[in-house]
Amino acid sequence: MRIGIVGSGAVGLYYGARLQRSGQDVHFLLRKDYSAIMRSGIRVRAPDTSFQIGNVNGYLDAKEIGEVDLVVVSVKSTSNEELPELLQPMLKAGTIILTLQNGLGNYEFLKAAFPAYLVYVGACFVCLNRVAPGVVENYYLGSVVLGSDKRGERTQTDSIAKALELARIQCKVSENPHQLLWEKLLWNVPFNGLAIAAGEISTDLILSSEVLIGLVRGLMEEIVLGAESQGLKIDANTIDRLIKETRSMGSYRPSSLVDFLESKPFELESIWGEPLRRAMESGVELPKLETLYRLLKILCIPCD
Amino acid sequence: MRIGIVGSGAVGLYYGARLQRSGQDVHFLLRKDYSAIMRSGIRVRAPDTSFQIGNVNGYLDAKEIGEVDLVVVSVKSTSNEELPELLQPMLKAGTIILTLQNGLGNYEFLKAAFPAYLVYVGACFVCLNRVAPGVVENYYLGSVVLGSDKRGERTQTDSIAKALELARIQCKVSENPHQLLWEKLLWNVPFNGLAIAAGEISTDLILSSEVLIGLVRGLMEEIVLGAESQGLKIDANTIDRLIKETRSMGSYRPSSLVDFLESKPFELESIWGEPLRRAMESGVELPKLETLYRLLKILCIPCD
């Protein structure tokens, strides 16, 4: 399987490196890490293994990658408008598009931009930080859960799942991509948001404050309500489980905090704005999410 | 001068103790600290002096205090509705009412409740914590600035100022009580608010975060705009000065945080709600203050 990785931040580098290490034909669209990766390859430090891959097929121009069987989309949602031009040269009949992006709106955007192609959501329940150019740390092994609206594409789902499993990435298949995205929001909304808004703090500090734990729970309860407003059901027990799992992650900096600290736009709309709007359109008020969204909008200077 | 102190938290105990130590006739309405103070007096630790006063005139019932020349009101604004009944038995012709309370609305409340009496605002620019029953620590000496709407009451202003100065409390006289209250909000709005909302943190931790310093400045700029919407003028240089002074305070817990940590209602409406409403009624939007107010309202469980 010829695989193209579009978006070589922590997520793209990590999954791409694992796929390549398992012998698959991976091609990375690179930007800021290009020279470091072409020189020294990609290094991954994970709980189960640490490894380095060399001979990386890295490109600065997506056109040079050419057609692939699978496009993994791992750019931030704030760069979505660049995707139609970037992906077009990589597509051929039957190419699968897999978005590993956070939040709501990316899946719909890709389906609308590429109506002739099968688009999958891959929800990555994982902790990753890109700690230096070409170097990714994985603190929580997690899994990727796949889902797509289109039915009867079992073969294609199987082929992605097989590629991931070959790379020893735990993979599950879900029927409903929207369910997956809301389940991922359950973590991202409180932890990515409060990590910024409470003064650039890591997850362990969030969980050392009663106020912030209360807000984490309150926001999670609102995401459960938001999901319900979309006809989805999230098990309320998930809240306790996620908080417990987050304690085990130690001093983790969520991706939005990393973006914020680098003065880059974070995913304000896809993680906080879009779920709020969808719930409101369904007549459901989520005042804690609304307040956090307002606060993050004030803080996100480069988001404008 | 016979003086009654209504509200014996940090502020009431501190000023009352200083007044009594200077030989003035002070009477304290006490509640939770009654037995400790009747047994061991009041202890004050301040940068210029540490002292203890015994033989405290303490009462559990305001009626027992009887008529006074000056009533110092230092209850939290959340208890204002109790004031008419508490103060009535202490009033005689010419009694002056001095509110040392935080935020907006208290002055107007007292003027409306006691139209026959002269009401003063005393803005305390000071750092106080009640660290144990009857024990107050003062970290920043500060001053009290007096103001009242009523003109031509020079003698009465002088008598309060004299009482305070006798007690070695630095005292200034301003023409405009509203100006004073907004100037005090300049500090209270960001620091009292963020100390709670950013996860129960003291002022030094607020000032160790770029995000939170940015919010402090943004909120202060909005308070300047809010004051302008009321026809008042706060010098914008005050912002830098206050941030600098706050750095020198060290690890200070603002009073609202102390209330919050004790699961007591904090002054949500007088510090955040009322200035927001007054600015909005004058057609001025203060989005950062509005967001902080919403967040604090969510967090203030006992405020309802």
Side-chain angles (χ1 to χ4, degrees), chain A residues 220-237:
Chain A
M220 285 182 166
E221 284 158 10
E222 287 194 356
I223 294 299
V224 170
L225 293 178
E228 281 173 7
S229 79
Q230 309 298 300
L232 305 167
K233 176 95 188 112
I234 298 178
D235 184 351
N237 290 330

PDB file of all heavy atoms in Angstrom, chain A residues 220-237:
ATOM      1  N   MET A 220     -17.132  18.028  30.294  1.00  0.00           N
ATOM      2  CA  MET A 220     -17.373  16.680  29.751  1.00  0.00           C
ATOM      3  C   MET A 220     -18.866  16.358  29.770  1.00  0.00           C
ATOM      4  O   MET A 220     -19.397  15.789  28.814  1.00  0.00           O
ATOM      5  CB  MET A 220     -16.588  15.646  30.551  1.00  0.00           C
ATOM      6  CG  MET A 220     -15.087  15.649  30.238  1.00  0.00           C
ATOM      7  SD  MET A 220     -14.233  14.355  31.201  1.00  0.00           S
ATOM      8  CE  MET A 220     -12.647  14.285  30.349  1.00  0.00           C
ATOM      9  N   GLU A 221     -19.529  16.738  30.844  1.00  0.00           N
ATOM     10  CA  GLU A 221     -20.973  16.492  30.905  1.00  0.00           C
ATOM     11  C   GLU A 221     -21.697  17.251  29.791  1.00  0.00           C
ATOM     12  O   GLU A 221     -22.654  16.747  29.205  1.00  0.00           O
ATOM     13  CB  GLU A 221     -21.517  16.910  32.286  1.00  0.00           C
ATOM     14  CG  GLU A 221     -21.176  15.893  33.371  1.00  0.00           C
ATOM     15  CD  GLU A 221     -21.208  16.457  34.793  1.00  0.00           C
ATOM     16  OE1 GLU A 221     -21.672  17.598  34.970  1.00  0.00           O
ATOM     17  OE2 GLU A 221     -20.759  15.754  35.721  1.00  0.00           O
ATOM     18  N   GLU A 222     -21.205  18.454  29.500  1.00  0.00           N
ATOM     19  CA  GLU A 222     -21.820  19.204  28.400  1.00  0.00           C
ATOM     20  C   GLU A 222     -21.551  18.550  27.048  1.00  0.00           C
ATOM     21  O   GLU A 222     -22.406  18.578  26.163  1.00  0.00           O
ATOM     22  CB  GLU A 222     -21.316  20.652  28.404  1.00  0.00           C
ATOM     23  CG  GLU A 222     -21.922  21.457  29.542  1.00  0.00           C
ATOM     24  CD  GLU A 222     -21.722  22.964  29.388  1.00  0.00           C
ATOM     25  OE1 GLU A 222     -21.040  23.395  28.437  1.00  0.00           O
ATOM     26  OE2 GLU A 222     -22.256  23.717  30.216  1.00  0.00           O
ATOM     27  N   ILE A 223     -20.371  17.964  26.868  1.00  0.00           N
ATOM     28  CA  ILE A 223     -20.087  17.283  25.596  1.00  0.00           C
ATOM     29  C   ILE A 223     -20.990  16.055  25.448  1.00  0.00           C
ATOM     30  O   ILE A 223     -21.460  15.754  24.346  1.00  0.00           O
ATOM     31  CB  ILE A 223     -18.588  16.900  25.503  1.00  0.00           C
ATOM     32  CG1 ILE A 223     -17.734  18.167  25.427  1.00  0.00           C
ATOM     33  CG2 ILE A 223     -18.320  16.009  24.304  1.00  0.00           C
ATOM     34  CD1 ILE A 223     -18.006  19.046  24.219  1.00  0.00           C
ATOM     35  N   VAL A 224     -21.258  15.379  26.556  1.00  0.00           N
ATOM     36  CA  VAL A 224     -22.213  14.263  26.507  1.00  0.00           C
ATOM     37  C   VAL A 224     -23.576  14.781  26.048  1.00  0.00           C
ATOM     38  O   VAL A 224     -24.228  14.180  25.177  1.00  0.00           O
ATOM     39  CB  VAL A 224     -22.317  13.567  27.888  1.00  0.00           C
ATOM     40  CG1 VAL A 224     -23.471  12.575  27.905  1.00  0.00           C
ATOM     41  CG2 VAL A 224     -20.996  12.865  28.218  1.00  0.00           C
ATOM     42  N   LEU A 225     -24.003  15.926  26.591  1.00  0.00           N
ATOM     43  CA  LEU A 225     -25.274  16.524  26.164  1.00  0.00           C
ATOM     44  C   LEU A 225     -25.225  16.964  24.699  1.00  0.00           C
ATOM     45  O   LEU A 225     -26.196  16.795  23.959  1.00  0.00           O
ATOM     46  CB  LEU A 225     -25.605  17.756  27.016  1.00  0.00           C
ATOM     47  CG  LEU A 225     -25.917  17.522  28.491  1.00  0.00           C
ATOM     48  CD1 LEU A 225     -26.164  18.858  29.195  1.00  0.00           C
ATOM     49  CD2 LEU A 225     -27.137  16.615  28.625  1.00  0.00           C
ATOM     50  N   GLY A 226     -24.079  17.534  24.318  1.00  0.00           N
ATOM     51  CA  GLY A 226     -23.921  17.953  22.929  1.00  0.00           C
ATOM     52  C   GLY A 226     -24.035  16.765  21.979  1.00  0.00           C
ATOM     53  O   GLY A 226     -24.711  16.836  20.946  1.00  0.00           O
ATOM     54  N   ALA A 227     -23.383  15.671  22.346  1.00  0.00           N
ATOM     55  CA  ALA A 227     -23.456  14.460  21.520  1.00  0.00           C
ATOM     56  C   ALA A 227     -24.902  13.970  21.438  1.00  0.00           C
ATOM     57  O   ALA A 227     -25.388  13.606  20.364  1.00  0.00           O
ATOM     58  CB  ALA A 227     -22.541  13.380  22.097  1.00  0.00           C
ATOM     59  N   GLU A 228     -25.591  14.005  22.572  1.00  0.00           N
ATOM     60  CA  GLU A 228     -27.003  13.579  22.580  1.00  0.00           C
ATOM     61  C   GLU A 228     -27.844  14.454  21.653  1.00  0.00           C
ATOM     62  O   GLU A 228     -28.757  13.969  20.988  1.00  0.00           O
ATOM     63  CB  GLU A 228     -27.568  13.626  24.005  1.00  0.00           C
ATOM     64  CG  GLU A 228     -27.138  12.426  24.839  1.00  0.00           C
ATOM     65  CD  GLU A 228     -27.534  12.536  26.308  1.00  0.00           C
ATOM     66  OE1 GLU A 228     -28.267  13.489  26.667  1.00  0.00           O
ATOM     67  OE2 GLU A 228     -27.084  11.672  27.096  1.00  0.00           O
ATOM     68  N   SER A 229     -27.515  15.748  21.603  1.00  0.00           N
ATOM     69  CA  SER A 229     -28.271  16.653  20.721  1.00  0.00           C
ATOM     70  C   SER A 229     -28.087  16.272  19.255  1.00  0.00           C
ATOM     71  O   SER A 229     -28.881  16.664  18.404  1.00  0.00           O
ATOM     72  CB  SER A 229     -27.844  18.106  20.953  1.00  0.00           C
ATOM     73  OG  SER A 229     -26.617  18.391  20.285  1.00  0.00           O
ATOM     74  N   GLN A 230     -27.035  15.503  18.958  1.00  0.00           N
ATOM     75  CA  GLN A 230     -26.777  15.039  17.591  1.00  0.00           C
ATOM     76  C   GLN A 230     -27.225  13.581  17.411  1.00  0.00           C
ATOM     77  O   GLN A 230     -26.856  12.934  16.431  1.00  0.00           O
ATOM     78  CB  GLN A 230     -25.280  15.141  17.273  1.00  0.00           C
ATOM     79  CG  GLN A 230     -24.661  16.489  17.574  1.00  0.00           C
ATOM     80  CD  GLN A 230     -25.271  17.613  16.757  1.00  0.00           C
ATOM     81  OE1 GLN A 230     -25.212  17.582  15.528  1.00  0.00           O
ATOM     82  NE2 GLN A 230     -25.888  18.578  17.415  1.00  0.00           N
ATOM     83  N   GLY A 231     -27.995  13.075  18.368  1.00  0.00           N
ATOM     84  CA  GLY A 231     -28.491  11.699  18.267  1.00  0.00           C
ATOM     85  C   GLY A 231     -27.455  10.650  18.618  1.00  0.00           C
ATOM     86  O   GLY A 231     -27.610   9.476  18.268  1.00  0.00           O
ATOM     87  N   LEU A 232     -26.390  11.063  19.330  1.00  0.00           N
ATOM     88  CA  LEU A 232     -25.334  10.118  19.684  1.00  0.00           C
ATOM     89  C   LEU A 232     -25.380   9.849  21.180  1.00  0.00           C
ATOM     90  O   LEU A 232     -25.936  10.623  21.939  1.00  0.00           O
ATOM     91  CB  LEU A 232     -23.970  10.716  19.317  1.00  0.00           C
ATOM     92  CG  LEU A 232     -23.834  11.161  17.859  1.00  0.00           C
ATOM     93  CD1 LEU A 232     -22.592  12.009  17.678  1.00  0.00           C
ATOM     94  CD2 LEU A 232     -23.804   9.956  16.931  1.00  0.00           C
ATOM     95  N   LYS A 233     -24.762   8.773  21.600  1.00  0.00           N
ATOM     96  CA  LYS A 233     -24.800   8.426  23.017  1.00  0.00           C
ATOM     97  C   LYS A 233     -23.395   8.128  23.506  1.00  0.00           C
ATOM     98  O   LYS A 233     -22.737   7.219  23.018  1.00  0.00           O
ATOM     99  CB  LYS A 233     -25.715   7.198  23.186  1.00  0.00           C
ATOM    100  CG  LYS A 233     -25.813   6.632  24.581  1.00  0.00           C
ATOM    101  CD  LYS A 233     -27.014   7.180  25.346  1.00  0.00           C
ATOM    102  CE  LYS A 233     -26.972   6.736  26.810  1.00  0.00           C
ATOM    103  NZ  LYS A 233     -26.729   7.845  27.729  1.00  0.00           N
ATOM    104  N   ILE A 234     -22.938   8.927  24.479  1.00  0.00           N
ATOM    105  CA  ILE A 234     -21.644   8.654  25.112  1.00  0.00           C
ATOM    106  C   ILE A 234     -21.924   8.165  26.525  1.00  0.00           C
ATOM    107  O   ILE A 234     -22.653   8.808  27.275  1.00  0.00           O
ATOM    108  CB  ILE A 234     -20.764   9.918  25.154  1.00  0.00           C
ATOM    109  CG1 ILE A 234     -20.460  10.404  23.736  1.00  0.00           C
ATOM    110  CG2 ILE A 234     -19.464   9.635  25.899  1.00  0.00           C
ATOM    111  CD1 ILE A 234     -19.623  11.675  23.674  1.00  0.00           C
ATOM    112  N   ASP A 235     -21.340   7.046  26.862  1.00  0.00           N
ATOM    113  CA  ASP A 235     -21.502   6.474  28.199  1.00  0.00           C
ATOM    114  C   ASP A 235     -20.921   7.440  29.239  1.00  0.00           C
ATOM    115  O   ASP A 235     -19.745   7.801  29.168  1.00  0.00           O
ATOM    116  CB  ASP A 235     -20.765   5.130  28.246  1.00  0.00           C
ATOM    117  CG  ASP A 235     -20.960   4.418  29.576  1.00  0.00           C
ATOM    118  OD1 ASP A 235     -21.507   5.036  30.512  1.00  0.00           O
ATOM    119  OD2 ASP A 235     -20.561   3.246  29.664  1.00  0.00           O
ATOM    120  N   ALA A 236     -21.752   7.860  30.213  1.00  0.00           N
ATOM    121  CA  ALA A 236     -21.298   8.842  31.210  1.00  0.00           C
ATOM    122  C   ALA A 236     -20.150   8.309  32.067  1.00  0.00           C
ATOM    123  O   ALA A 236     -19.367   9.086  32.626  1.00  0.00           O
ATOM    124  CB  ALA A 236     -22.458   9.289  32.093  1.00  0.00           C
ATOM    125  N   ASN A 237     -20.002   6.993  32.153  1.00  0.00           N
ATOM    126  CA  ASN A 237     -18.871   6.419  32.900  1.00  0.00           C
ATOM    127  C   ASN A 237     -17.530   6.752  32.270  1.00  0.00           C
ATOM    128  O   ASN A 237     -16.485   6.682  32.927  1.00  0.00           O
ATOM    129  CB  ASN A 237     -18.990   4.894  32.976  1.00  0.00           C
ATOM    130  CG  ASN A 237     -20.145   4.479  33.873  1.00  0.00           C
ATOM    131  OD1 ASN A 237     -20.473   5.190  34.819  1.00  0.00           O
ATOM    132  ND2 ASN A 237     -20.762   3.363  33.546  1.00  0.00           N
TER     133      ASN A 237
END
